[in-house]
Amino acid sequence: MLSAGCSFAPAPSDPPAPDAAMSSTSSAIEWLGALELRRDDFTIPPDKLLAGAVDVCAQSYPMGAATRAKLVWTDAGTVREQAMTIAGEGAGPYGHNTLWCGSLDLAAVPTTLAVIAEDAAGAPVRSELAITPRSEITLFDAAPDAALWRMAGPGSFAIVELDGSAALRAQPAPSELGLYWAAIPTPPDFELTADVRLDRFDDNSGVFVRFRDPDRFGYDNPAWVGVHDGLEIQIDETARPDGADIHRTGAVYEQPSTFVRAPDGVPGTWRAFAITVRGNRIVVRIDGQQVTDCTFVGDLSRPERALPSRPGAPRFVGLQSHTGAVAFRHLRLRAL
């Protein structure tokens, strides 16, 4: 879904001079903003773009100066173009711009996107963006990646250095759940990998998959959206509250599955988690050993729970802050 809320550099009260991306200085269009990539209203940094459908948007200034715009790109060696539509007038923080958008389905190959906007006389301005859609992206590997993440509920996650690597370490609020989630819509089927490190043996955390935007549910504590709308891969060596395997590290929390208990985690030691989500099946491996094979049969009380991403209904992954300073590093998302 496209909206006039796309975020671009604002057009100031005195228009900026044309930059090198503009091919004409005589156009009535005085400014054409940088291209923005979006999926379901979520901005995607170019280096985090998975192959597939994407909206490409740009803003032109002043509002109404551009009478048409088109997308131009290369597909399998052939130059193609597509007319863009006006997704909003009065766009930008000051309401001075026209927002143009178009949709493409991009393969995992390098390409250059260009937006060419023209005024009524046909004088053009141009903006370009070189991209390489991928089949796998990094969700967190270094401090700048934290710009992708949002905190739902109390508590926080700190960026720290542990064993020579940047890591996200939970800082829970007392007696409250928190959810740190990556604002990148996931593919329908995917694999999420991460290294996980306990600070104490009785630490409690989890990895959530396939939940919707926590901020759109109206919860007092939106972290509970991960619990109610998604599924949790548990991190708890003590399997609270009852010691049952459905509450133990590697289990899909409270879901029946084929479960093989992994060796207990050792505080201060990293373990490699691989979570494969395909259809309604979730397979969890820890340090290469399969721990869980779960077929989620659905939730009659919440029929939208843990469905695959689809256009207009994106799903996300996130990390729980619950008890203790559990740390995560090398988080990667791969489309299946």
Side-chain angles (χ1 to χ4, degrees), residues 39 96 121 229 237 256 320 331:
R39 281 200 173 115
H96 294 163
D229 194 54
E237 300 299 329
Q320 185 187 66
L331 285 99

Side-chain angles (χ1 to χ4, degrees), residues 49 81 88 110 120 166 235 296:
L49 179 64
E81 61 180 59
I235 300 171
F296 177 59

Side-chain angles (χ1 to χ4, degrees), residues 30 72 82 140 145 154 182 184 191 196 207 226 234 242 250 273 296 312:
E30 300 180 33
V72 180
Q82 172 189 308
F140 182 83
D145 294 329
I184 297 282
E191 181 182 68
V196 180
V207 178
Q234 176 70 315
D242 55 8
F273 280 57
F296 177 59

Side-chain angles (χ1 to χ4, degrees), residues 2-12 16 19 31-39 41-44 46 54-61 71 84-102 113 115 127-129:
L2 302 174
S3 74
C6 292
S7 173
F8 291 79
D19 61 25
W31 175 80
L32 182 63
L35 276 61
E36 185 179 36
L37 308 173
R38 297 179 70 82
R39 281 200 173 115
D41 246 3
F42 287 84
T43 299
I44 312 296
V54 65
D55 297 322
V56 182
C57 301
Q59 291 184 31
S60 58
Y61 172 85
L71 265 172
M84 302 178 77
T85 59
I86 295 176
E89 295 281 16
Y94 302 108
H96 294 163
N97 306 334
T98 299
L99 174 67
W100 299 86
C101 291
L113 302 175
V115 169
S127 185
E128 292 187 353
L129 178 65

Side-chain angles (χ1 to χ4, degrees), residues 4-238:
C6 292
S7 173
F8 291 79
S13 55
D14 294 319
D19 61 25
M22 298 183 183
S23 59
S24 171
T25 58
S26 59
S27 174
I29 306 165
E30 300 180 33
W31 175 80
L32 182 63
L35 276 61
E36 185 179 36
L37 308 173
R38 297 179 70 82
R39 281 200 173 115
D40 287 301
D41 246 3
F42 287 84
T43 299
I44 312 296
D47 65 334
K48 308 298 182 186
L49 179 64
L50 289 163
V54 65
D55 297 322
V56 182
C57 301
Q59 291 184 31
S60 58
Y61 172 85
M63 186 171 59
T67 59
R68 55 193 167 271
K70 63 183 177 181
L71 265 172
V72 180
W73 74 102
T74 300
D75 182 9
T78 301
V79 177
R80 303 185 185 277
E81 61 180 59
Q82 172 189 308
M84 302 178 77
T85 59
I86 295 176
E89 295 281 16
Y94 302 108
H96 294 163
N97 306 334
T98 299
L99 174 67
W100 299 86
C101 291
S103 297
L104 297 177
D105 198 342
L106 296 173
V109 295
T111 190
T112 297
L113 302 175
V115 169
I116 300 175
E118 296 180 354
D119 64 10
V125 293
R126 179 185 183 103
S127 185
E128 292 187 353
L129 178 65
I131 60 171
T132 303
R134 297 163 167 83
S135 59
E136 179 177 341
I137 59 171
T138 297
L139 293 180
F140 182 83
D141 226 5
D145 294 329
L148 302 175
W149 293 77
R150 303 179 184 181
M151 192 71 204
S156 63
F157 275 75
I159 302 171
V160 298
E161 183 174 319
L162 291 173
D163 304 319
S165 299
L168 297 170
R169 185 161 61 189
Q171 297 182 318
S175 303
E176 287 279 3
L177 294 182
L179 176 66
Y180 199 50
W181 60 287
I184 297 282
T186 61
D189 297 326
F190 60 89
E191 181 182 68
L192 176 67
T193 57
D195 292 347
V196 180
R197 180 184 187 271
L198 300 176
D199 186 57
R200 292 166 44 114
F201 184 78
D202 60 350
D203 284 348
N204 187 337
S205 183
V207 178
F208 285 92
V209 298
R210 278 194 177 165
F211 57 89
R212 287 170 288 180
D213 182 346
D215 295 327
R216 297 188 179 184
F217 279 71
Y219 279 30
D220 290 338
N221 181 353
W224 283 96
V225 172
V227 177
H228 296 157
D229 194 54
L231 293 170
E232 179 187 5
I233 289 73
Q234 176 70 315
I235 300 171
D236 183 3
E237 300 299 329
T238 65

